[in-house]
Amino acid sequence: MTLIRDRNMAPEGLEKIEWVREHMPVLRELEERFKRERPFKGLNVAICLHLEAKTAYMAMVLKEAGAAVAVTGSNPLSTQDDVAAALAEQGLQVYAWYNASNEEYDEHVYRTAQTLPHLVIDDGGDLVAVLHKSFRGHLGEVIGGAEETTTGLIRLRAMEKKGMLGFPMVAVNDALCKYLFDNRYGTGQSVWDGIMRSTNLIAAGKNVVVIGYGWCGKGVAMRAKGLGARVIVCEVDPVKALEAYMDGFDVMPLLDAAAAGDLFITVTGCSRVLTKEHFLLMKDQAILANAGHFDIEIDKNDLSALTGEARRVRKNVDAYTFPGGKRIYLLGEGRLVNLAAADGHPAEIMDMSFGLQVLSLKYLLQEKGRLDNRVLTLPPEIDRTVAWLKLKGLGIKIDELTPEQNEYLQSWDAIS
Ligand code: ADE
């Protein structure tokens, strides 16, 4: 069973998957191993991720590993219909299409949960939430899952705190080979990819306001600087604010930045970050983009209340016009700009994130019955395995400690 737009689009989708596969050596190596070992034979795996080519390749690897795989998108604007068609053509169950309404999106996630997975991969927590709301009787059969994002982990930790989590979930987002690369370099590049594709405007010379200085915000600000923008960082956490300052950025409250900014990028994971009070202060033609998981960071209701209906002026660009004529442009309807207006993170980056994902599922299977229903730290050996595989794929060799050095590092009294 599938719910996709158009199966005839499969050839273009397959082309995209083949391209990313060539740039994902970690997953290729795991694919080879899993083809031999078939570790997920007889198991249902459900995936709720941004349904683009890299995700599709990982889903195919899990199928090669013996699983019956069901896939849905984790955002209504990030599904690519040709990729969804290609996966359906490969015999996976796919429930997703681009520009799904909220009801359609909910149905897609529901149908995916209805396949009664033993293992899950989630991005943002929607699939896990639906399993807990509507499939409670099945929770005991779920061996576990892995969560991709900061936002998903916030939701999972809230469930854990209330004693509600029905199976163990590995916090892939908190692994070193995830946030150091995906959150920082992946978001740093793909957010700019989305902004450039949708606007075709220049970053150099602009006042770019980056709101949120977590690993994703750091990446976005770093790349803004590299592109020649003047970067302002807004933060609520004093340590992160200080870090931004020491990294060479101007740091100020958002209300002060509102009048100065040409381009605003929300990267907070929080709700109602840019609201009426900021919109009123902004310049004519200010541009707004969101890089957080949900479309709640830029208050679209406030924008509409101030301006009325938005007008689509270019693909992925909506103009909100104030009574006096001032315009504010919103990119990708305030959804993740890197996925709504581009293809998400580069393949070489998702290679590591998805390597961690599939190895997390293997770990959950190996430890079946021994793990608590909690949010679990990814075992450091998995991080190291992925780093080794990535270095190998890049053809990079590194040094090893000598036996004396090893001994030295394990002693406390050998300093001479
Ligand atoms: N491609 C697939 N999943 C993604 C994610 N979480 N972020 C960016 N690109 C992606």
Side-chain angles (χ1 to χ4, degrees):
M1 176 68 192
T2 55
L3 278 179
I4 56 169
R5 274 270 184 246
D6 181 2
R7 206 175 255 269
N8 295 323
M9 297 172 89
E12 294 119 82
L14 271 180
E15 241 174 36
K16 287 184 180 173
I17 297 168
E18 192 44 44
W19 170 259
V20 298
R21 185 181 179 280
E22 289 300 315
H23 297 89
M24 300 179 86
V26 174
L27 266 190
R28 280 206 311 277
E29 172 118 9
L30 294 172
E31 181 182 22
E32 282 313 307
R33 283 190 205 171
F34 287 176
K35 260 191 201 164
R36 289 192 302 273
E37 298 167 7
R38 308 265 294 166
F40 304 120
K41 191 156 175 252
L43 297 176
N44 297 340
V45 175
I47 298 175
C48 177
L49 286 171
H50 299 292
L51 188 38
E52 47 87 15
K54 282 91 75 181
T55 306
Y57 177 42
M58 179 182 65
M60 285 162 63
V61 169
L62 290 168
K63 182 166 181 278
E64 292 285 351
V69 183
V71 189
T72 188
S74 57
N75 184 300
L77 292 190
S78 63
T79 293
Q80 300 189 9
D81 288 325
D82 49 3
V83 171
L87 276 187
E89 202 65 17
Q90 298 291 306
L92 287 83
Q93 294 187 62
V94 188
Y95 304 98
W97 56 61
Y98 173 73
N99 210 8
S101 66
N102 287 342
E103 295 71 32
E104 288 166 345
Y105 176 81
D106 289 346
E107 186 188 349
H108 294 160
V109 179
Y110 184 89
R111 294 282 198 112
T112 306
Q114 207 172 28
T115 62
L116 302 180
H118 303 105
L119 290 162
V120 300
I121 299 180
D122 212 353
D123 185 334
D126 287 346
L127 179 58
V128 169
V130 167
L131 281 165
H132 281 75
K133 275 186 206 147
S134 307
F135 296 89
R136 295 203 63 77
H138 176 67
L139 294 183
E141 301 300 310
V142 183
I143 298 164
E147 169 56 52
E148 175 80 6
T149 60
T150 315
T151 293
L153 287 181
I154 290 170
R155 291 174 85 184
L156 288 176
R157 289 192 168 116
M159 290 171 80
E160 180 185 21
K161 211 165 163 189
K162 292 196 169 130
M164 281 176 58
L165 196 56
F167 46 81
M169 285 293 297
V170 176
V172 167
N173 181 71
D174 292 353
L176 293 170
C177 281
K178 166 67 167 61
Y179 69 80
L180 288 179
F181 308 112
D182 175 314
N183 298 28
R184 181 169 43 171
Y185 298 115
T187 310
Q189 178 164 320
S190 63
V191 161
W192 284 102
D193 188 9
I195 292 169
M196 286 172 188
R197 285 197 213 185
S198 45
T199 63
N200 190 219
L201 295 175
I202 193 160
K206 283 204 170 49
N207 290 332
V208 171
V209 181
V210 178
I211 309 156
Y213 204 65
W215 287 101
C216 294
K218 284 197 227 309
V220 172
M222 174 174 62
R223 292 300 180 240
K225 189 176 178 175
L227 287 164
R230 279 186 279 261
V231 184
I232 298 169
V233 171
C234 302
E235 243 305 335
V236 291
D237 178 308
V239 177
K240 289 180 183 159
L242 206 48
E243 194 181 4
Y245 169 79
M246 295 283 180
D247 286 343
F249 300 117
D250 279 342
V251 177
M252 64 182 76
L254 189 45
L255 275 177
D256 294 345
D262 299 303
L263 168 58
F264 296 80
I265 308 168
T266 52
V267 207
T268 70
C270 198
S271 65
R272 302 198 67 239
V273 175
L274 284 175
T275 59
K276 182 178 171 184
E277 53 183 343
H278 308 107
F279 303 142
L280 286 170
L281 293 170
M282 285 177 187
K283 295 180 193 173
D284 181 31
Q285 304 213 62
I287 299 170
L288 314 181
N290 170 46
H293 184 80
F294 287 115
D295 60 339
I296 50 166
E297 307 207 10
I298 300 169
D299 194 323
K300 288 186 270 185
N301 291 333
D302 271 9
L303 259 182
S304 301
L306 288 169
T307 64
E309 252 328 77
R311 194 166 59 88
R312 173 87 16 130
V313 289
R314 197 179 142 88
K315 190 170 176 213
N316 287 314
V317 185
D318 291 325
Y320 289 81
T321 307
F322 287 66
K326 177 174 101 173
R327 291 146 296 175
I328 289 185
Y329 298 126
L330 177 65
L331 308 188
E333 298 177 21
R335 297 195 186 272
L336 278 163
V337 72
N338 54 344
L339 283 141
D343 292 315
H345 298 347
E348 299 98 321
I349 292 286
M350 293 315 292
D351 191 24
M352 288 180 275
S353 305
F354 288 161
L356 292 168
Q357 288 286 5
V358 300
L359 288 173
S360 294
L361 295 196
K362 190 144 183 253
Y363 164 74
L364 286 162
L365 194 55
Q366 273 159 4
E367 297 299 319
K368 183 178 169 186
R370 284 192 285 271
L371 299 170
D372 294 334
N373 292 346
R374 302 193 51 191
V375 178
L376 307 172
T377 303
L378 178 126
E381 313 84 76
I382 297 183
D383 240 338
R384 288 175 64 81
T385 301
V386 168
W388 278 120
L389 289 175
K390 191 73 192 172
L391 286 170
K392 185 176 159 201
L394 291 166
I396 295 173
K397 296 195 171 77
I398 59 172
D399 296 314
E400 262 181 74
L401 291 171
T402 63
E404 296 96 287
Q405 286 173 323
N406 246 324
E407 201 182 317
Y408 173 78
L409 290 174
Q410 279 165 48
S411 65
W412 62 274
D413 60 352
I415 300 164
S416 53

